[in-house]
Amino acid sequence: MNVTSATDSTSKSSSSTSSTTSTSSTGVDYNTFLQLLIAEMKNQDPTNPMDTSQYMSQFAQLSSVEQAMQTNTKLDALLSSQSLSQADGLIGKTVSFTDSTGATFTGKVASISINSDGSIATLENGTKVAVGPGLTIS
């Protein structure tokens, strides 16, 4: 989308390319997109108007990005739910692991906590163990 600033006094023919498919948390939402679209329509050159198919294409891209973001949010919730279900099955089980120094530890799982880095099992003696490769469950 070519957008020229309404307050740009340097040149009316200069334009900048703006991408509306940002995936950051401060991305462009529908209202902002529509405001930009209206500003672009108001400030376009009447002797050389923009193609309306470009507007529709940009709106379709924005819509697909919005749907992908919603899908990712729902997938994250589903994965968290699955992690909680699996964690429940570990409580009371005996686990053994070898730490980075080569020492081997064994204990019963008292609780499980799930954070963004993964699941952490807390043993009855207070030792915290990352649930993952190298953990033996019996």
Side-chain angles (χ1 to χ4, degrees):
M1 164 188 343
N2 295 328
V3 179
T4 55
S5 172
T7 59
D8 187 11
S9 60
T10 57
S11 172
K12 286 205 171 209
S13 64
S14 69
S15 64
S16 64
T17 302
S18 171
S19 175
T20 59
T21 57
S22 174
T23 58
S24 70
S25 62
T26 58
V28 177
D29 62 359
Y30 285 113
N31 291 335
T32 306
F33 174 77
L34 291 175
Q35 288 174 353
L36 287 170
L37 185 65
I38 290 169
E40 184 176 2
M41 292 174 109
K42 283 182 182 178
N43 296 310
Q44 70 178 331
D45 182 6
T47 62
N48 187 17
M50 298 288 291
D51 183 14
T52 56
S53 65
Q54 288 179 351
Y55 294 129
M56 295 311 295
S57 172
Q58 291 167 358
F59 190 71
Q61 287 174 347
L62 179 68
S63 177
S64 66
V65 168
E66 176 89 17
Q67 289 174 357
M69 289 170 46
Q70 289 176 357
T71 300
N72 286 343
T73 301
K74 289 179 181 181
L75 183 59
D76 287 342
L78 180 64
L79 289 173
S80 293
S81 176
Q82 182 182 12
S83 294
L84 286 171
S85 295
Q86 290 176 344
D88 182 45
L90 289 176
I91 295 175
K93 300 277 184 169
T94 302
V95 296
S96 59
F97 66 98
T98 304
D99 68 3
S100 58
T101 64
T104 301
F105 295 94
T106 302
K108 263 190 179 177
V109 177
S111 66
I112 301 282
S113 62
I114 299 174
N115 57 27
S116 61
D117 297 332
S119 301
I120 306 293
T122 304
L123 305 182
E124 289 176 340
N125 64 3
T127 306
K128 295 189 184 254
V129 182
V131 177
L135 186 69
T136 304
I137 303 167
S138 56

